[in-house]
């Protein structure tokens, strides 16, 4: 049986998953994603973007992100939109999926989805069903983290979402991702081995081969 793939994590030493590379950080030997997080946008973002373009060509860079929109930070909204748009264009050019950070800007994501030629995955999804349904309808994938272990509303939503639009992650939380796999497999009425295989197929659809 294969291990439990962690779609989005912050543990540099973890070997099986996608490490979220910090801005200008030296990458690990394993899979990673690289992007400019909304909170890291500065007046020198053009220089940061040159770094991103270079690092994104690495074979182990399997995704652009996390990047996106955040309504709770003090970064100008139009500047956030511009930097997000540039990262979508980069992802289109190199044909790598996009891992999205979104806080209180979900309605705006649909506009950006239309510009993307690659899959877009919302990481750490823990919002209400109406938001999730709209995202799924617009062909986003959703990645779920620790809150899915105990949030009953989220669990009810997970029971009905298409399994081919689903990923699991630890993000920055400290817990065993196997527990999350076991929980969601039960919710989806799947044997754990079959569920792991389905996640593997989802990764292959993103051109991530494990």
């Amino acid at each position: 049986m294969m291990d439990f793939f962690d779609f989005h994590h912050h543990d540099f030493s973890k070997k099986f998953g996608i490490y979220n590379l910090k801005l200008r950080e030296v990458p690990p030997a394993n899979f990673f994603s690289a992007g400019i997080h909304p909170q890291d946008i500065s007046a020198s973002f053009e220089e940061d973007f040159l770094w991103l373009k270079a690092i994104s060509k690495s074979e182990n860079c399997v995704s652009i992100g996390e990047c996106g929109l955040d309504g709770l930070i003090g970064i100008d909204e139009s500047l956030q939109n511009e930097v997000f748009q540039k990262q979508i264009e980069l992802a289109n050019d190199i044909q790598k999926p996009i891992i999205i950070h979104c806080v209180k800007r979900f309605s705006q994501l649909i506009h950006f989805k239309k510009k993307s030629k690659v899959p877009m995955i919302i990481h750490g999804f823990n919002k209400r069903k109406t938001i999730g349904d709209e995202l799924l309808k617009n062909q986003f994938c959703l990645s779920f983290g620790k809150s899915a272990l105990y949030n009953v509303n989220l669990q009810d939503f997970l029971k009905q979402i298409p399994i081919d639009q689903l990923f699991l992650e630890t993000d920055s939380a400290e817990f065993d991702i196997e527990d999350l796999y076991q929980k969601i497999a039960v919710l989806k009425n799947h044997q754990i081995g079959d569920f792991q295989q389905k996640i593997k197929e989802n990764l292959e659809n993103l051109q991530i081969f494990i």
Side-chain angles (χ1 to χ4, degrees):
M1 182 184 294
M2 71 178 194
D3 290 327
F4 299 88
F5 193 87
D6 191 339
F7 188 77
H8 176 86
H9 68 83
H10 294 256
D11 182 351
F12 192 87
S13 63
K14 183 176 285 190
K15 292 183 169 56
F16 200 61
I18 302 174
Y19 174 69
N20 183 73
L21 193 70
K22 301 179 187 72
L23 189 64
R24 298 184 180 274
E25 182 181 19
V26 176
N30 310 304
F31 288 158
F32 67 91
S33 62
I36 302 174
H37 190 288
Q39 69 183 14
D40 293 328
I41 296 172
S42 68
S44 62
F45 84 85
E46 293 283 4
E47 293 176 24
D48 294 335
F49 190 72
L50 291 176
W51 166 84
L52 176 58
K53 283 183 72 173
I55 203 80
S56 68
K57 294 173 184 173
S58 165
E59 186 177 343
N60 282 348
C61 180
V62 295
S63 181
I64 298 300
E66 57 184 294
C67 59
L69 306 171
D70 194 318
L72 292 182
I73 60 175
I75 306 296
D76 180 75
E77 185 176 339
S78 62
L79 183 57
Q80 287 193 46
N81 290 344
E82 179 184 353
V83 176
F84 188 28
Q85 175 68 35
K86 285 176 71 73
Q87 291 180 91
I88 293 171
E89 291 167 0
L90 173 61
N92 287 345
D93 287 343
I94 62 176
Q95 284 295 292
K96 293 183 179 181
I98 301 168
I99 296 177
I100 295 176
H101 166 95
C102 188
V103 176
K104 295 190 178 297
R105 290 286 184 269
F106 285 98
S107 62
Q108 296 174 26
L109 284 183
I110 311 302
H111 162 75
F112 286 97
K113 181 70 172 71
K114 294 171 182 175
K115 299 171 181 289
S116 178
K117 300 173 185 173
V118 297
M120 300 180 102
I121 306 94
I122 312 290
H123 102 83
F125 185 80
N126 61 1
K127 304 306 175 188
R128 61 184 183 273
K129 180 181 183 298
T130 51
I131 294 175
D133 285 341
E134 185 68 15
L135 292 169
L136 293 170
K137 186 177 75 175
N138 283 277
Q139 303 306 308
F140 286 91
C141 294
L142 303 179
S143 183
F144 294 83
K146 187 176 182 179
S147 55
L149 285 172
Y150 56 82
N151 184 318
V152 176
N153 291 332
L154 208 56
Q155 291 170 1
D156 286 343
F157 176 55
L158 268 157
K159 289 177 184 177
Q160 56 186 285
I161 79 169
I163 199 167
D164 59 359
Q165 289 176 269
L166 171 63
F167 294 96
L168 301 178
E169 64 177 71
T170 59
D171 194 10
S172 55
E174 292 188 11
F175 70 100
D176 189 342
I177 196 166
E178 180 178 352
D179 294 341
L180 185 58
Y181 269 78
Q182 297 283 0
K183 181 70 175 180
I184 307 308
V186 171
L187 290 174
K188 302 297 287 179
N189 199 25
H190 276 66
Q191 296 293 323
I192 186 63
D194 294 339
F195 182 58
Q196 287 174 287
Q197 179 60 33
K198 187 58 197 173
I199 296 295
K200 182 174 185 287
E201 292 169 7
N202 292 350
L203 290 165
E204 289 172 354
N205 288 336
L206 301 182
Q207 302 298 304
I208 298 171
F209 300 100
I210 58 178

